[in-house]
Amino acid sequence: METKSLEQSGNLFTFENTPCVCLVDTVHDENGNAISSFKVKASNNKEPYLYAYAPVDGLVMINKKTGSVIDEMNPMEDFLGINLKNPNELKDYIEKYGFFMPLSAEGFAEIDFSALHKILIHFKIVVRLLSELNAKSISYDKLFKETFALIFDRPQSITINSTKGELRSCLHLFTQYWFQPDQIEEINNYVDTQTGDPYQDYYYFPDTFTRSEKHLCYVDYHEYTDVDNAFGYEPSQTRIDISKLVYFYKNAFPADMLTRNIIDFLFHLNEEVVKIEAIFSNGIIRLKDDISIDSLDKFTDNYKEFLRKITKQVIKEEFDFALYSIHPTYNIETMSPGWEIPDLFTALFFSLFYMRPEYEIYRQCANPNCTRLFRVKTTNSRQMYHSPACQNAAAQMRHRLKNK
């Protein structure tokens, strides 16, 4: 059903995306684990899809002949509803809306599913973080885990040689330091107090969390080592010895302000609030006993304010990275400004960039079996389900639990 004219809603940008063919290949390794990849190529017998961003509706698909919005096509909310761990769900989305980067019709390009999943999940996390920051009651545990999932995840990239297209996850400056610590030169500002007591000897440097000169006792500082495959986790979830934090805390100078904020926050959290048991290379951060920081009295307002500041800075870096390839253009036919959008993934980020969180946000469906993100007015505190079916399902679930 096509009802709304694009001209009536006033589009802010348009772009075309090529329909494509998508195949899923799955093999199994020696342990029986499934490893999936996509084979994708552009369809040369179909017209390109036309997308636009309209202030009221967000990212929409346009009928080229009539110029009207195709109501049943919702690229943003459909993407947010995908279980990105399921290759077949992602395949269906790609065949419906096109691939996330330019494709050639000459032959199939092979795309590693794991790498694509890790790139796309960044977008979903940014949406969830924006939602959480604007919630009436913030879950700092969610804010903590989601923010650090972005900066501790190993950077990923996908390249298609035939189109010279490239898709990358955001490389935060902190992440660059974390996975390439040899960039850091050790600081040798060790102060020997000449007392003979090593507990009185120290290093000194500024601390952004306490806003003071921090003195790190000599005996508290030691070399870190990477520990592989700890706790029986898969090698892809390499555990990092937490002493690496101490190494960064002492030596990561000079560094950008966000990097220092992250290091100082984590150092004090580990020293004063709760022990960080492990940081994995897939972005998962694990606290002692898997405790929620929302339940900790020592996680004071100072920590909460600092975490919110870090989250906002991380979101900004994600946007800056995702939108760097966009540039303004001018249409001489309509004598109007516009933007040149390179691919669908950038368009998703750009449409989120245009959202005003004080007016509308994406909220997670309260049905535990759904958890889909849906757009809602910020002032609407009552709409907790993305559909009546989810609301009824959740009510039935509560009724069954009550009867038990």
Side-chain angles (χ1 to χ4, degrees), residues 43-44 48-49 76 83 119 121 132 139-140 178 184 201 226 237 244-245 301 313 315 318 339 343 352 357-358:
S43 297
N44 51 15
Y49 300 135
M76 175 68 90
N83 175 5
I119 292 170
I121 199 66
E132 199 60 50
S139 167
Y140 285 92
W178 187 256
I184 298 174
D201 301 337
D226 289 351
Q237 294 178 300
K244 188 173 183 177
L245 263 182
D301 288 344
Q313 290 172 316
I315 289 172
E318 289 281 337
W339 298 97
D343 52 52
L352 184 64
E358 65 267 36

Side-chain angles (χ1 to χ4, degrees), residues 1-19:
M1 181 179 179
E2 300 169 3
T3 57
K4 202 170 296 181
S5 168
L6 177 63
E7 285 72 26
Q8 289 175 344
S9 53
N11 66 297
L12 295 174
F13 68 78
T14 60
F15 84 102
E16 289 188 343
N17 197 30
T18 309

Side-chain angles (χ1 to χ4, degrees), residues 215-270:
H215 291 197
L216 181 63
C217 183
Y218 168 70
V219 295
D220 288 339
Y221 170 66
H222 54 284
E223 295 291 338
Y224 76 90
T225 54
D226 289 351
V227 182
D228 293 336
N229 204 20
F231 302 120
Y233 282 83
E234 294 295 327
S236 62
Q237 294 178 300
T238 305
R239 174 177 174 261
I240 308 295
D241 191 316
I242 208 62
S243 61
K244 188 173 183 177
L245 263 182
V246 183
Y247 181 83
F248 272 63
Y249 184 65
K250 171 190 173 289
N251 293 298
F253 296 97
D256 66 289
M257 185 56 68
L258 176 55
T259 296
R260 279 313 310 183
N261 285 344
I262 292 168
I263 293 168
D264 295 345
F265 173 83
L266 288 175
F267 179 84
H268 285 284
L269 183 76
N270 183 67

Side-chain angles (χ1 to χ4, degrees), residues 185-321:
E185 293 185 12
E186 290 194 23
I187 295 176
N188 296 312
N189 57 352
Y190 169 58
V191 177
D192 186 346
T193 56
Q194 306 295 324
T195 62
D197 185 352
Y199 284 88
Q200 295 184 18
D201 301 337
Y202 60 87
Y203 298 92
Y204 65 91
F205 42 84
D207 184 306
T208 63
F209 186 80
T210 59
R211 300 181 180 87
S212 65
E213 291 286 321
K214 173 68 180 178
H215 291 197
L216 181 63
C217 183
Y218 168 70
V219 295
D220 288 339
Y221 170 66
H222 54 284
E223 295 291 338
Y224 76 90
T225 54
D226 289 351
V227 182
D228 293 336
N229 204 20
F231 302 120
Y233 282 83
E234 294 295 327
S236 62
Q237 294 178 300
T238 305
R239 174 177 174 261
I240 308 295
D241 191 316
I242 208 62
S243 61
K244 188 173 183 177
L245 263 182
V246 183
Y247 181 83
F248 272 63
Y249 184 65
K250 171 190 173 289
N251 293 298
F253 296 97
D256 66 289
M257 185 56 68
L258 176 55
T259 296
R260 279 313 310 183
N261 285 344
I262 292 168
I263 293 168
D264 295 345
F265 173 83
L266 288 175
F267 179 84
H268 285 284
L269 183 76
N270 183 67
E271 291 289 316
E272 301 163 7
V273 180
V274 59
K275 289 298 178 185
I276 300 173
E277 195 164 270
I279 301 169
F280 300 96
S281 59
N282 62 356
I284 294 173
I285 188 165
R286 175 171 159 179
L287 301 179
K288 185 180 179 182
D289 300 326
D290 286 330
I291 198 166
S292 166
I293 60 173
D294 288 316
S295 65
L296 299 171
D297 292 336
K298 289 184 178 180
F299 195 76
T300 59
D301 288 344
N302 187 33
Y303 280 97
K304 292 175 182 178
E305 179 186 355
F306 214 76
L307 177 56
R308 290 197 304 271
K309 179 169 71 172
I310 289 173
T311 299
K312 290 175 182 178
Q313 290 172 316
V314 167
I315 289 172
K316 180 187 183 307
E317 285 196 351
E318 289 281 337
F319 273 121
D320 289 347
F321 187 87

Side-chain angles (χ1 to χ4, degrees), residues 10 14 17 40 62 76 93 122-123 138 140 144 160 162 181 215 246 258 263 284 306 326 333 336 340 370 383 388:
T14 60
N17 197 30
V40 289
I62 304 300
M76 175 68 90
Y93 181 88
H122 274 236
F123 179 76
I138 294 176
Y140 285 92
F144 173 70
I160 297 178
S162 57
H215 291 197
V246 183
L258 176 55
I263 293 168
I284 294 173
F306 214 76
I326 293 177
E333 299 298 329
S336 61
E340 186 163 319
C370 173
Q383 188 176 349

